[in-house]
Amino acid sequence: MKDAIVVAMVLGRELRDAADNEVAGIEASIGAIRGHMLHAHSADFDVESFDTAVERGRRGDLGW
């Protein structure tokens, strides 16, 4: 779960800086990771934390 959160934050940051033609690909990546986690790791996956991590990345609030 921790790795998925870090990736969500980084991809959120990428969304912040993305050109218009890059946004759909980044959003697709976020959706694919979210879908995989829901399917393969549903017992450990916290959807709210994942979505919050994406938004934190978009704000530039990476915490490191």
Side-chain angles (χ1 to χ4, degrees):
M1 177 66 195
K2 182 180 176 185
D3 292 341
I5 295 297
V6 171
V7 170
M9 289 173 64
V10 171
L11 287 173
R13 176 60 187 215
E14 289 295 315
L15 275 174
R16 178 182 175 176
D17 299 330
D20 291 341
N21 65 336
E22 298 172 320
V23 171
I26 296 167
E27 289 177 341
S29 295
I30 292 168
I33 293 165
R34 191 176 195 272
H36 167 77
M37 293 299 292
L38 280 169
H39 176 73
H41 306 283
S42 60
D44 300 323
F45 185 55
D46 182 348
V47 175
E48 186 176 327
S49 292
F50 183 85
D51 294 343
T52 299
V54 172
E55 289 308 312
R56 284 183 60 200
R58 283 185 116 155
R59 290 191 312 265
D61 181 18
L62 299 178
W64 58 70

CSV table of all heavy atoms in Angstrom, one decimal:
chain,number,residue,atom,x,y,z
A,1,MET,N,0.8,-1.2,0.0
A,1,MET,CA,0.0,0.0,0.0
A,1,MET,C,0.9,1.3,0.0
A,1,MET,O,0.6,2.2,-0.7
A,1,MET,CB,-0.9,-0.1,1.2
A,1,MET,CG,-1.8,1.1,1.4
A,1,MET,SD,-3.0,1.3,0.1
A,1,MET,CE,-3.5,2.9,0.4
A,2,LYS,N,1.9,1.2,0.8
A,2,LYS,CA,2.8,2.4,0.8
A,2,LYS,C,3.4,2.8,-0.5
A,2,LYS,O,3.4,4.0,-0.9
A,2,LYS,CB,3.9,2.2,1.8
A,2,LYS,CG,4.9,3.3,2.0
A,2,LYS,CD,6.0,3.1,3.0
A,2,LYS,CE,6.9,4.2,3.1
A,2,LYS,NZ,8.1,3.9,3.9
A,3,ASP,N,3.8,1.8,-1.3
A,3,ASP,CA,4.3,2.1,-2.6
A,3,ASP,C,3.3,2.7,-3.5
A,3,ASP,O,3.6,3.6,-4.3
A,3,ASP,CB,4.8,0.8,-3.3
A,3,ASP,CG,6.1,0.2,-2.6
A,3,ASP,OD1,6.7,1.0,-1.9
A,3,ASP,OD2,6.3,-1.0,-2.8
A,4,ALA,N,2.0,2.2,-3.4
A,4,ALA,CA,0.9,2.8,-4.3
A,4,ALA,C,0.7,4.3,-3.9
A,4,ALA,O,0.4,5.1,-4.8
A,4,ALA,CB,-0.3,2.0,-4.1
A,5,ILE,N,0.8,4.6,-2.6
A,5,ILE,CA,0.6,6.0,-2.2
A,5,ILE,C,1.7,6.9,-2.7
A,5,ILE,O,1.5,8.0,-3.2
A,5,ILE,CB,0.6,6.0,-0.6
A,5,ILE,CG1,-0.7,5.3,-0.1
A,5,ILE,CG2,0.6,7.5,-0.1
A,5,ILE,CD1,-2.0,5.8,-0.5
A,6,VAL,N,2.9,6.4,-2.7
A,6,VAL,CA,4.1,7.2,-3.2
A,6,VAL,C,3.9,7.4,-4.7
A,6,VAL,O,4.1,8.5,-5.2
A,6,VAL,CB,5.4,6.5,-2.9
A,6,VAL,CG1,6.6,7.2,-3.6
A,6,VAL,CG2,5.7,6.5,-1.4
A,7,VAL,N,3.5,6.4,-5.4
A,7,VAL,CA,3.3,6.5,-6.9
A,7,VAL,C,2.2,7.5,-7.1
A,7,VAL,O,2.3,8.3,-8.0
A,7,VAL,CB,3.1,5.1,-7.5
A,7,VAL,CG1,2.6,5.3,-8.9
A,7,VAL,CG2,4.4,4.3,-7.4
A,8,ALA,N,1.1,7.4,-6.3
A,8,ALA,CA,0.0,8.3,-6.5
A,8,ALA,C,0.4,9.7,-6.3
A,8,ALA,O,0.0,10.6,-7.1
A,8,ALA,CB,-1.2,7.9,-5.6
A,9,MET,N,1.2,10.0,-5.3
A,9,MET,CA,1.7,11.3,-5.1
A,9,MET,C,2.6,11.8,-6.3
A,9,MET,O,2.4,13.0,-6.7
A,9,MET,CB,2.5,11.4,-3.8
A,9,MET,CG,1.6,11.3,-2.6
A,9,MET,SD,2.5,11.1,-1.0
A,9,MET,CE,3.3,12.7,-0.9
A,10,VAL,N,3.4,11.0,-6.7
A,10,VAL,CA,4.3,11.4,-7.8
A,10,VAL,C,3.5,11.6,-9.1
A,10,VAL,O,3.7,12.6,-9.8
A,10,VAL,CB,5.4,10.3,-8.1
A,10,VAL,CG1,6.2,10.6,-9.4
A,10,VAL,CG2,6.4,10.3,-6.9
A,11,LEU,N,2.5,10.8,-9.4
A,11,LEU,CA,1.7,11.0,-10.6
A,11,LEU,C,0.8,12.2,-10.4
A,11,LEU,O,0.6,12.9,-11.4
A,11,LEU,CB,0.9,9.7,-10.9
A,11,LEU,CG,1.6,8.5,-11.4
A,11,LEU,CD1,0.7,7.3,-11.5
A,11,LEU,CD2,2.2,8.9,-12.8
A,12,GLY,N,0.4,12.5,-9.2
A,12,GLY,CA,-0.4,13.7,-9.0
A,12,GLY,C,0.5,14.9,-9.3
A,12,GLY,O,0.0,15.9,-9.9
A,13,ARG,N,1.7,14.9,-8.9
A,13,ARG,CA,2.7,15.9,-9.2
A,13,ARG,C,2.9,16.1,-10.7
A,13,ARG,O,3.0,17.2,-11.2
A,13,ARG,CB,4.0,15.7,-8.5
A,13,ARG,CG,5.1,16.7,-8.8
A,13,ARG,CD,4.7,18.1,-8.3
A,13,ARG,NE,5.7,19.0,-8.8
A,13,ARG,CZ,6.0,20.1,-8.1
A,13,ARG,NH1,5.4,20.4,-7.0
A,13,ARG,NH2,6.9,20.9,-8.5
A,14,GLU,N,3.0,14.9,-11.4
A,14,GLU,CA,3.1,15.0,-12.8
A,14,GLU,C,1.9,15.6,-13.5
A,14,GLU,O,2.0,16.4,-14.4
A,14,GLU,CB,3.3,13.6,-13.4
A,14,GLU,CG,4.6,12.9,-13.1
A,14,GLU,CD,5.8,13.7,-13.7
A,14,GLU,OE1,5.7,14.0,-14.9
A,14,GLU,OE2,6.8,13.9,-13.0
A,15,LEU,N,0.7,15.4,-12.9
A,15,LEU,CA,-0.5,16.1,-13.5
A,15,LEU,C,-0.4,17.6,-13.3
A,15,LEU,O,-0.8,18.3,-14.2
A,15,LEU,CB,-1.7,15.6,-12.7
A,15,LEU,CG,-2.4,14.3,-13.2
A,15,LEU,CD1,-3.5,13.9,-12.2
A,15,LEU,CD2,-2.9,14.5,-14.6
A,16,ARG,N,0.2,18.0,-12.2
A,16,ARG,CA,0.3,19.4,-12.0
A,16,ARG,C,1.1,20.1,-13.1
A,16,ARG,O,0.8,21.2,-13.5
A,16,ARG,CB,0.9,19.6,-10.6
A,16,ARG,CG,1.2,21.1,-10.3
A,16,ARG,CD,1.9,21.2,-8.9
A,16,ARG,NE,2.2,22.5,-8.7
A,16,ARG,CZ,2.8,22.9,-7.5
A,16,ARG,NH1,3.0,22.1,-6.6
A,16,ARG,NH2,3.1,24.2,-7.4
A,17,ASP,N,2.2,19.4,-13.5
A,17,ASP,CA,3.1,20.0,-14.5
A,17,ASP,C,2.9,19.5,-15.9
A,17,ASP,O,3.7,19.9,-16.8
A,17,ASP,CB,4.5,19.7,-14.0
A,17,ASP,CG,4.9,20.2,-12.7
A,17,ASP,OD1,4.3,21.3,-12.3
A,17,ASP,OD2,5.7,19.6,-12.0
A,18,ALA,N,1.9,18.7,-16.1
A,18,ALA,CA,1.7,18.1,-17.4
A,18,ALA,C,1.2,19.1,-18.5
A,18,ALA,O,0.4,20.0,-18.2
A,18,ALA,CB,0.7,17.0,-17.3
A,19,ALA,N,1.6,18.8,-19.7
A,19,ALA,CA,1.1,19.5,-20.8
A,19,ALA,C,-0.3,18.9,-21.1
A,19,ALA,O,-0.6,17.8,-20.7
A,19,ALA,CB,2.0,19.4,-22.1
A,20,ASP,N,-1.1,19.7,-21.9
A,20,ASP,CA,-2.5,19.2,-22.2
A,20,ASP,C,-2.5,17.8,-22.8
A,20,ASP,O,-3.4,17.0,-22.5
A,20,ASP,CB,-3.2,20.2,-23.1
A,20,ASP,CG,-3.5,21.5,-22.4
A,20,ASP,OD1,-3.5,21.5,-21.1
A,20,ASP,OD2,-3.8,22.5,-23.1
A,21,ASN,N,-1.5,17.5,-23.7
A,21,ASN,CA,-1.5,16.2,-24.3
A,21,ASN,C,-1.0,15.1,-23.5
A,21,ASN,O,-1.0,14.0,-23.9
A,21,ASN,CB,-0.7,16.3,-25.6
A,21,ASN,CG,0.8,16.6,-25.4
A,21,ASN,OD1,1.1,17.2,-24.4
A,21,ASN,ND2,1.6,16.3,-26.4
A,22,GLU,N,-0.5,15.4,-22.3
A,22,GLU,CA,0.0,14.4,-21.4
A,22,GLU,C,-1.0,14.0,-20.3
A,22,GLU,O,-0.9,12.9,-19.7
A,22,GLU,CB,1.3,14.9,-20.7
A,22,GLU,CG,2.4,15.2,-21.6
A,22,GLU,CD,3.6,15.8,-20.9
A,22,GLU,OE1,3.4,16.7,-20.1
A,22,GLU,OE2,4.7,15.5,-21.3
A,23,VAL,N,-2.0,14.8,-20.0
A,23,VAL,CA,-2.9,14.6,-18.9
A,23,VAL,C,-3.7,13.3,-19.0
A,23,VAL,O,-3.7,12.5,-18.0
A,23,VAL,CB,-3.9,15.8,-18.8
A,23,VAL,CG1,-5.0,15.5,-17.8
A,23,VAL,CG2,-3.2,17.1,-18.4
A,24,ALA,N,-4.2,12.9,-20.2
A,24,ALA,CA,-5.0,11.7,-20.3
A,24,ALA,C,-4.1,10.5,-20.0
A,24,ALA,O,-4.6,9.5,-19.4
A,24,ALA,CB,-5.5,11.6,-21.7
A,25,GLY,N,-2.9,10.5,-20.4
A,25,GLY,CA,-2.0,9.3,-20.1
A,25,GLY,C,-1.7,9.2,-18.7
A,25,GLY,O,-1.7,8.1,-18.1
A,26,ILE,N,-1.5,10.3,-18.0
A,26,ILE,CA,-1.2,10.2,-16.6
A,26,ILE,C,-2.5,9.8,-15.8
A,26,ILE,O,-2.4,9.0,-14.9
A,26,ILE,CB,-0.7,11.6,-16.1
A,26,ILE,CG1,0.6,11.9,-16.7
A,26,ILE,CG2,-0.6,11.6,-14.5
A,26,ILE,CD1,1.1,13.4,-16.6
A,27,GLU,N,-3.6,10.4,-16.2
A,27,GLU,CA,-4.9,9.9,-15.5
A,27,GLU,C,-5.1,8.5,-15.8
A,27,GLU,O,-5.7,7.8,-14.9
A,27,GLU,CB,-6.0,10.8,-16.0
A,27,GLU,CG,-5.9,12.2,-15.5
A,27,GLU,CD,-7.0,13.1,-16.0
A,27,GLU,OE1,-7.7,12.8,-17.0
A,27,GLU,OE2,-7.3,14.2,-15.3
A,28,ALA,N,-4.8,8.0,-16.9
A,28,ALA,CA,-5.0,6.5,-17.2
A,28,ALA,C,-4.1,5.7,-16.3
A,28,ALA,O,-4.5,4.6,-15.8
A,28,ALA,CB,-4.7,6.3,-18.7
A,29,SER,N,-2.9,6.2,-16.1
A,29,SER,CA,-1.9,5.4,-15.3
A,29,SER,C,-2.5,5.4,-13.8
A,29,SER,O,-2.4,4.3,-13.2
A,29,SER,CB,-0.6,6.1,-15.3
A,29,SER,OG,0.0,6.0,-16.6
A,30,ILE,N,-3.0,6.5,-13.4
A,30,ILE,CA,-3.5,6.6,-12.0
A,30,ILE,C,-4.7,5.6,-11.9
A,30,ILE,O,-4.8,4.9,-10.9
A,30,ILE,CB,-4.0,8.0,-11.6
A,30,ILE,CG1,-2.7,8.9,-11.5
A,30,ILE,CG2,-4.8,8.0,-10.4
A,30,ILE,CD1,-3.0,10.4,-11.4
A,31,GLY,N,-5.6,5.6,-12.9
A,31,GLY,CA,-6.7,4.7,-12.9
A,31,GLY,C,-6.3,3.3,-13.0
A,31,GLY,O,-7.0,2.4,-12.3
A,32,ALA,N,-5.3,2.9,-13.7
A,32,ALA,CA,-4.8,1.6,-13.8
A,32,ALA,C,-4.3,1.1,-12.5
A,32,ALA,O,-4.6,-0.1,-12.1
A,32,ALA,CB,-3.8,1.4,-14.9
A,33,ILE,N,-3.5,1.9,-11.8
A,33,ILE,CA,-2.9,1.5,-10.5
A,33,ILE,C,-4.1,1.4,-9.5
A,33,ILE,O,-4.1,0.4,-8.7
A,33,ILE,CB,-1.9,2.5,-10.1
A,33,ILE,CG1,-0.7,2.5,-11.0
A,33,ILE,CG2,-1.5,2.3,-8.6
A,33,ILE,CD1,0.2,3.7,-10.9
A,34,ARG,N,-5.0,2.3,-9.5
A,34,ARG,CA,-6.1,2.3,-8.6
A,34,ARG,C,-6.9,1.0,-8.8
A,34,ARG,O,-7.3,0.3,-7.9
A,34,ARG,CB,-7.0,3.5,-8.8
A,34,ARG,CG,-8.1,3.7,-7.8
A,34,ARG,CD,-8.8,5.1,-8.1
A,34,ARG,NE,-9.6,5.6,-7.0
A,34,ARG,CZ,-10.8,5.2,-6.8
A,34,ARG,NH1,-11.4,4.4,-7.6
A,34,ARG,NH2,-11.5,5.7,-5.8
A,35,GLY,N,-7.2,0.7,-10.1
A,35,GLY,CA,-8.0,-0.5,-10.4
A,35,GLY,C,-7.2,-1.8,-10.0
A,35,GLY,O,-7.8,-2.7,-9.5
A,36,HIS,N,-5.9,-1.8,-10.2
A,36,HIS,CA,-5.1,-3.0,-9.8
A,36,HIS,C,-5.2,-3.2,-8.3
A,36,HIS,O,-5.4,-4.3,-7.8
A,36,HIS,CB,-3.7,-2.9,-10.3
A,36,HIS,CG,-2.8,-3.9,-9.7
A,36,HIS,ND1,-2.7,-5.2,-10.1
A,36,HIS,CD2,-1.9,-3.8,-8.6
A,36,HIS,CE1,-1.9,-5.8,-9.3
A,36,HIS,NE2,-1.4,-5.0,-8.4
A,37,MET,N,-5.0,-2.1,-7.6
A,37,MET,CA,-5.0,-2.2,-6.2
A,37,MET,C,-6.4,-2.7,-5.6
A,37,MET,O,-6.5,-3.5,-4.7
A,37,MET,CB,-4.6,-0.9,-5.5
A,37,MET,CG,-3.2,-0.5,-5.8
A,37,MET,SD,-2.0,-1.6,-5.1
A,37,MET,CE,-2.2,-1.4,-3.4
A,38,LEU,N,-7.5,-2.1,-6.3
A,38,LEU,CA,-8.8,-2.5,-5.8
A,38,LEU,C,-9.1,-4.0,-6.1
A,38,LEU,O,-9.7,-4.7,-5.3
A,38,LEU,CB,-9.9,-1.7,-6.6
A,38,LEU,CG,-10.1,-0.3,-6.0
A,38,LEU,CD1,-11.0,0.5,-7.0
A,38,LEU,CD2,-10.8,-0.4,-4.7
A,39,HIS,N,-8.5,-4.5,-7.2
A,39,HIS,CA,-8.8,-5.9,-7.6
A,39,HIS,C,-7.8,-6.9,-6.9
A,39,HIS,O,-8.3,-7.9,-6.4
A,39,HIS,CB,-8.6,-6.0,-9.1
A,39,HIS,CG,-8.7,-7.4,-9.6
A,39,HIS,ND1,-9.9,-8.1,-9.7
A,39,HIS,CD2,-7.7,-8.3,-10.1
A,39,HIS,CE1,-9.7,-9.3,-10.2
A,39,HIS,NE2,-8.4,-9.5,-10.4
A,40,ALA,N,-6.5,-6.6,-6.9
A,40,ALA,CA,-5.6,-7.5,-6.4
A,40,ALA,C,-5.2,-7.4,-4.9
A,40,ALA,O,-4.7,-8.3,-4.3
A,40,ALA,CB,-4.3,-7.4,-7.2
A,41,HIS,N,-5.4,-6.2,-4.4
A,41,HIS,CA,-5.0,-6.0,-3.0
A,41,HIS,C,-6.2,-5.3,-2.2
A,41,HIS,O,-5.9,-4.4,-1.4
A,41,HIS,CB,-3.8,-5.1,-3.0
A,41,HIS,CG,-2.7,-5.6,-3.8
A,41,HIS,ND1,-1.9,-6.6,-3.4
A,41,HIS,CD2,-2.2,-5.3,-5.0
A,41,HIS,CE1,-1.0,-6.9,-4.3
A,41,HIS,NE2,-1.2,-6.1,-5.3
A,42,SER,N,-7.4,-5.7,-2.5
A,42,SER,CA,-8.5,-4.9,-1.9
A,42,SER,C,-8.5,-4.9,-0.4
A,42,SER,O,-9.0,-4.0,0.2
A,42,SER,CB,-9.8,-5.5,-2.4
A,42,SER,OG,-9.9,-6.9,-2.1
A,43,ALA,N,-8.0,-6.0,0.2
A,43,ALA,CA,-8.0,-6.1,1.7
A,43,ALA,C,-7.1,-5.0,2.3
A,43,ALA,O,-7.4,-4.5,3.4
A,43,ALA,CB,-7.6,-7.4,2.2
A,44,ASP,N,-6.1,-4.6,1.6
A,44,ASP,CA,-5.1,-3.6,2.2
A,44,ASP,C,-5.2,-2.2,1.6
A,44,ASP,O,-4.6,-1.3,2.0
A,44,ASP,CB,-3.7,-4.1,1.9
A,44,ASP,CG,-3.4,-5.5,2.5
A,44,ASP,OD1,-3.9,-5.7,3.7
A,44,ASP,OD2,-2.7,-6.3,1.9
A,45,PHE,N,-6.1,-2.1,0.5
A,45,PHE,CA,-6.1,-0.8,-0.2
A,45,PHE,C,-7.1,0.1,0.4
A,45,PHE,O,-8.3,-0.2,0.6
A,45,PHE,CB,-6.5,-1.1,-1.7
A,45,PHE,CG,-6.4,0.1,-2.5
A,45,PHE,CD1,-5.3,0.9,-2.6
A,45,PHE,CD2,-7.5,0.5,-3.3
A,45,PHE,CE1,-5.2,2.0,-3.4
A,45,PHE,CE2,-7.5,1.6,-4.1
A,45,PHE,CZ,-6.3,2.3,-4.2
A,46,ASP,N,-6.6,1.3,0.7
A,46,ASP,CA,-7.4,2.4,1.2
A,46,ASP,C,-7.7,3.4,0.1
A,46,ASP,O,-6.8,4.2,-0.2
A,46,ASP,CB,-6.8,3.1,2.4
A,46,ASP,CG,-7.6,4.2,3.0
A,46,ASP,OD1,-8.6,4.6,2.5
A,46,ASP,OD2,-7.2,4.6,4.1
A,47,VAL,N,-8.8,3.4,-0.5
A,47,VAL,CA,-9.1,4.2,-1.7
A,47,VAL,C,-9.0,5.7,-1.3
A,47,VAL,O,-8.4,6.5,-2.1
A,47,VAL,CB,-10.5,3.9,-2.2
A,47,VAL,CG1,-10.9,4.9,-3.4
A,47,VAL,CG2,-10.6,2.5,-2.7
A,48,GLU,N,-9.5,6.1,-0.2
A,48,GLU,CA,-9.5,7.5,0.2
A,48,GLU,C,-8.0,8.0,0.4
A,48,GLU,O,-7.7,9.1,-0.1
A,48,GLU,CB,-10.2,7.7,1.5
A,48,GLU,CG,-10.4,9.1,1.9
A,48,GLU,CD,-11.2,9.3,3.2
A,48,GLU,OE1,-12.1,8.5,3.4
A,48,GLU,OE2,-10.9,10.2,4.0
A,49,SER,N,-7.2,7.2,0.9
A,49,SER,CA,-5.8,7.5,1.1
A,49,SER,C,-5.1,7.7,-0.3
A,49,SER,O,-4.3,8.6,-0.5
A,49,SER,CB,-5.0,6.5,1.9
A,49,SER,OG,-5.4,6.6,3.2
A,50,PHE,N,-5.4,6.8,-1.2
A,50,PHE,CA,-4.9,6.9,-2.6
A,50,PHE,C,-5.3,8.1,-3.2
A,50,PHE,O,-4.5,8.9,-3.8
A,50,PHE,CB,-5.3,5.6,-3.4
A,50,PHE,CG,-4.7,5.6,-4.7
A,50,PHE,CD1,-3.5,5.0,-5.0
A,50,PHE,CD2,-5.4,6.0,-5.8
A,50,PHE,CE1,-2.9,4.9,-6.2
A,50,PHE,CE2,-4.9,6.0,-7.1
A,50,PHE,CZ,-3.6,5.4,-7.3
A,51,ASP,N,-6.6,8.4,-3.2
A,51,ASP,CA,-7.1,9.6,-3.9
A,51,ASP,C,-6.5,10.9,-3.2
A,51,ASP,O,-6.2,11.9,-3.9
A,51,ASP,CB,-8.6,9.7,-3.8
A,51,ASP,CG,-9.2,8.5,-4.7
A,51,ASP,OD1,-8.5,8.0,-5.5
A,51,ASP,OD2,-10.4,8.2,-4.5
A,52,THR,N,-6.4,10.9,-1.9
A,52,THR,CA,-5.8,12.0,-1.2
A,52,THR,C,-4.3,12.2,-1.6
A,52,THR,O,-3.9,13.3,-1.8
A,52,THR,CB,-5.9,11.8,0.3
A,52,THR,OG1,-7.3,11.7,0.7
A,52,THR,CG2,-5.2,12.9,1.1
A,53,ALA,N,-3.6,11.1,-1.8
A,53,ALA,CA,-2.2,11.2,-2.2
A,53,ALA,C,-2.1,11.8,-3.6
A,53,ALA,O,-1.2,12.6,-3.9
A,53,ALA,CB,-1.6,9.8,-2.2
A,54,VAL,N,-3.0,11.5,-4.5
A,54,VAL,CA,-3.0,12.1,-5.8
A,54,VAL,C,-3.2,13.6,-5.7
A,54,VAL,O,-2.5,14.4,-6.3
A,54,VAL,CB,-4.1,11.5,-6.8
A,54,VAL,CG1,-4.2,12.3,-8.1
A,54,VAL,CG2,-3.8,10.1,-7.1
A,55,GLU,N,-4.2,14.0,-4.9
A,55,GLU,CA,-4.4,15.5,-4.7
A,55,GLU,C,-3.3,16.2,-4.0
A,55,GLU,O,-3.0,17.3,-4.3
A,55,GLU,CB,-5.7,15.7,-3.9
A,55,GLU,CG,-7.0,15.3,-4.7
A,55,GLU,CD,-7.0,16.0,-6.1
A,55,GLU,OE1,-6.8,17.2,-6.1
A,55,GLU,OE2,-7.2,15.3,-7.1
A,56,ARG,N,-2.6,15.5,-3.0
A,56,ARG,CA,-1.5,16.1,-2.4
A,56,ARG,C,-0.4,16.3,-3.4
A,56,ARG,O,0.3,17.4,-3.4
A,56,ARG,CB,-0.9,15.2,-1.3
A,56,ARG,CG,-1.8,15.3,0.0
A,56,ARG,CD,-1.2,14.4,1.1
A,56,ARG,NE,0.1,14.9,1.4
A,56,ARG,CZ,1.0,14.1,2.1
A,56,ARG,NH1,0.7,12.9,2.4
A,56,ARG,NH2,2.2,14.6,2.3
A,57,GLY,N,-0.2,15.4,-4.3
A,57,GLY,CA,0.8,15.6,-5.4
A,57,GLY,C,0.5,16.7,-6.3
A,57,GLY,O,1.4,17.5,-6.7
A,58,ARG,N,-0.8,16.8,-6.6
A,58,ARG,CA,-1.2,18.0,-7.5
A,58,ARG,C,-0.9,19.3,-6.8
A,58,ARG,O,-0.6,20.3,-7.5
A,58,ARG,CB,-2.7,17.8,-7.8
A,58,ARG,CG,-3.0,16.8,-8.8
A,58,ARG,CD,-4.5,16.9,-9.1
A,58,ARG,NE,-4.6,17.3,-10.5
A,58,ARG,CZ,-5.7,17.1,-11.2
A,58,ARG,NH1,-6.7,16.4,-10.7
A,58,ARG,NH2,-5.7,17.4,-12.5
A,59,ARG,N,-1.0,19.4,-5.5
A,59,ARG,CA,-0.8,20.6,-4.8
A,59,ARG,C,0.7,20.8,-4.6
A,59,ARG,O,1.1,21.9,-4.1
A,59,ARG,CB,-1.5,20.6,-3.4
A,59,ARG,CG,-3.0,20.7,-3.5
A,59,ARG,CD,-3.6,20.9,-2.1
A,59,ARG,NE,-3.1,20.0,-1.1
A,59,ARG,CZ,-3.6,18.9,-0.7
A,59,ARG,NH1,-4.7,18.5,-1.2
A,59,ARG,NH2,-3.1,18.2,0.3
A,60,GLY,N,1.5,19.8,-4.8
A,60,GLY,CA,3.0,19.9,-4.6
A,60,GLY,C,3.3,19.6,-3.1
A,60,GLY,O,4.4,19.9,-2.7
A,61,ASP,N,2.4,19.1,-2.4
A,61,ASP,CA,2.6,18.7,-1.0
A,61,ASP,C,3.1,17.3,-0.8
A,61,ASP,O,2.4,16.4,-0.3
A,61,ASP,CB,1.3,18.9,-0.3
A,61,ASP,CG,1.4,18.7,1.2
A,61,ASP,OD1,2.5,18.7,1.8
A,61,ASP,OD2,0.3,18.4,1.9
A,62,LEU,N,4.3,17.1,-1.3
A,62,LEU,CA,4.9,15.7,-1.3
A,62,LEU,C,5.5,15.3,0.1
A,62,LEU,O,5.6,14.2,0.4
A,62,LEU,CB,5.9,15.6,-2.4
A,62,LEU,CG,5.4,15.8,-3.8
A,62,LEU,CD1,6.6,15.7,-4.8
A,62,LEU,CD2,4.3,14.8,-4.1
A,63,GLY,N,5.9,16.3,0.9
A,63,GLY,CA,6.3,16.0,2.2
A,63,GLY,C,7.8,15.5,2.3
A,63,GLY,O,8.2,15.0,3.3
A,64,TRP,N,8.5,15.6,1.2
A,64,TRP,CA,9.9,15.3,1.2
A,64,TRP,C,10.7,16.3,0.5
A,64,TRP,O,10.3,17.2,-0.1
A,64,TRP,CB,10.2,13.9,0.7
A,64,TRP,CG,9.8,13.7,-0.8
A,64,TRP,CD1,10.4,14.2,-1.9
A,64,TRP,CD2,8.7,12.9,-1.2
A,64,TRP,NE1,9.7,13.8,-3.0
A,64,TRP,CE2,8.7,13.0,-2.6
A,64,TRP,CE3,7.8,12.0,-0.6
A,64,TRP,CZ2,7.8,12.3,-3.4
A,64,TRP,CZ3,6.9,11.4,-1.4
A,64,TRP,CH2,6.9,11.5,-2.8
